[in-house]
Amino acid sequence: MAVRATVPVRDADDLSLAYTPGVAKVCAAIAEQPELAHDYTWTSQVVAVVTDGSAVLGLGDIGPAASMPVMEGKAILFKQFAGVDAVPIALDCRDTDEIVETVARLAPSFGGVNLEDIAAPRCFEIERKLQERLDIPVFHDDQHGTAVVTLAALRNAARLTGRGLAELRVVISGAGAAGVAIAKILLGAGIGDVALCDRRGVVCGDREDLTDVKREIAGLTNRAGLTGSLEDAMAGADVFIGVSGGTVPESAVARLAPGAFVFAMANPDPEIHPTVAARHAAVVATGRSDFPNQINNVLAFPGIFAGALQVRAARITEGMKLAAAEALAAVVADELTPQRVIPSPFDERVAPAVAAAVAAAARAEGVARR
């Protein structure tokens, strides 16, 4: 990674514009009209990629220093796929309020904040508090990026097999950041029913071991009133979504409904190997690039931020996420096969389509400022 100027500094005249004395006029103008910072500096076009290093990829709690290569990679993807500049920031802190305070103090330098690889349940509270405090988009990609791409793939799988989302019962293995966000976006999209499962089985209201986040999601999901283990919940389900790791036995996969979809997204080892899943499912997706239908966050977050920054959105709403998923699904809606229900990350149509949909949704919802 590197930082470079977008205009040349070739001689004394250029220097006088780029720095002293010319820069003083820009500073004075912004001091008089603070909103000019969005036009005369890079703040409205750059995203902070922020982590505490507590939940990095499949590596877990490896700390801020070791997390930096992932944050740098994220920034490169922002630039590569959507032309969005981003700065990686790894914080040596685990206290929720201290992280919120630190990011809030950094916020005047950025147009948006992408939270990354922060462990649950702390990530939920950090995102919520920052959203309440800041007037720029705050987006925890491990939650919402995963959810947007999952919904897009599910829309196309349903379309391919002639079904609507309202006809589908979904079981999600994993009740962490991604699992909770997927459940919420599926409900917002009109899914028939969804049951969320953790290590102790179905997350339901009569359990006394639930966190506040799980208690909230229990009140929104599982209309069928399922109890018991993940395998019990899978019996007759139309969709399995895995965001937990671990291994699901083939005997449980065989209990899914005919024509089911299996999205086994754990990396590097899917909960259900695609070869096994294909024996029982009509559509199979994973989080890996060496199998068809990769559920990859890079399909979502560059375009989402590009659209939000384009209109100077004050926040990223649920409607903007749903619009992103619909636009992403539409990119390959006329090209569907069981091996292609989601575009490739290198499909050049993706980021522009997502950005346009997000910008339009922001305007429609009244959070756009230009």
Side-chain angles (χ1 to χ4, degrees), residues 82-272:
V84 172
D85 290 302
V87 176
I89 298 173
L91 300 178
D92 188 9
C93 176
R94 294 298 168 83
D95 181 84
T96 294
D97 289 333
E98 289 184 7
I99 291 174
V100 170
E101 186 65 29
T102 300
V103 175
R105 291 185 179 190
L106 290 169
S109 297
F110 298 98
V113 176
N114 183 101
L115 300 173
E116 188 75 19
D117 293 348
I118 299 173
R122 188 167 62 252
C123 61
F124 299 111
E125 188 174 1
I126 290 171
E127 182 186 48
R128 178 182 60 80
K129 288 185 174 182
L130 284 172
Q131 286 172 338
E132 292 172 352
R133 184 163 174 176
L134 302 180
D135 66 346
I136 59 175
V138 177
F139 185 84
H140 184 214
D141 186 49
D142 300 314
Q143 291 185 63
H144 310 300
T146 304
V148 165
V149 182
T150 301
L151 173 57
L154 186 55
R155 279 192 181 281
N156 278 344
R159 185 178 287 126
L160 178 67
T161 56
R163 287 179 278 181
L165 294 182
E167 301 173 50
L168 303 177
R169 179 169 74 83
V170 179
V171 173
I172 300 174
S173 175
V180 169
I182 291 169
K184 287 184 176 180
I185 202 170
L186 293 184
L187 291 170
I191 201 73
D193 196 10
V194 55
L196 200 63
C197 299
D198 61 12
R199 291 183 180 88
R200 298 191 178 186
V202 178
V203 175
C204 51
D206 59 358
R207 281 178 46 181
E208 297 181 356
D209 61 336
L210 301 181
T211 63
D212 290 343
V213 171
K214 290 182 182 180
R215 190 172 297 108
E216 177 196 5
I217 201 68
L220 301 173
T221 58
N222 193 23
R223 300 184 188 107
L226 301 175
T227 58
S229 68
L230 169 66
E231 294 184 28
D232 293 332
M234 288 175 65
D238 301 293
V239 185
F240 169 86
I241 296 174
V243 283
S244 64
T247 301
V248 176
E250 185 169 1
S251 59
V253 184
R255 298 178 70 189
L256 292 170
F261 312 142
V262 169
F263 293 2
M265 299 189 292
N267 264 316
D269 299 314
E271 294 91 346
I272 304 166

Side-chain angles (χ1 to χ4, degrees), residues 311-355:
V311 297
R312 279 189 53 214
R315 62 184 182 276
I316 295 173
T317 66
E318 294 304 310
M320 291 161 71
K321 297 172 200 171
L322 290 170
E326 183 63 35
L328 179 57
V331 169
V332 291
D334 297 329
E335 309 163 11
L336 298 178
T337 71
Q339 289 74 44
R340 185 175 171 78
V341 296
I342 199 74
S344 161
F346 294 97
D347 189 323
E348 294 181 354
R349 300 171 294 177
V350 168
V354 171

Side-chain angles (χ1 to χ4, degrees), residues 4 13 62 79 119 188 195 204 213 242 283 300 321 345 347 351:
R4 62 182 179 86
D13 287 341
I62 60 174
K79 189 68 173 180
C204 51
V213 171
V283 176
K321 297 172 200 171
D347 189 323

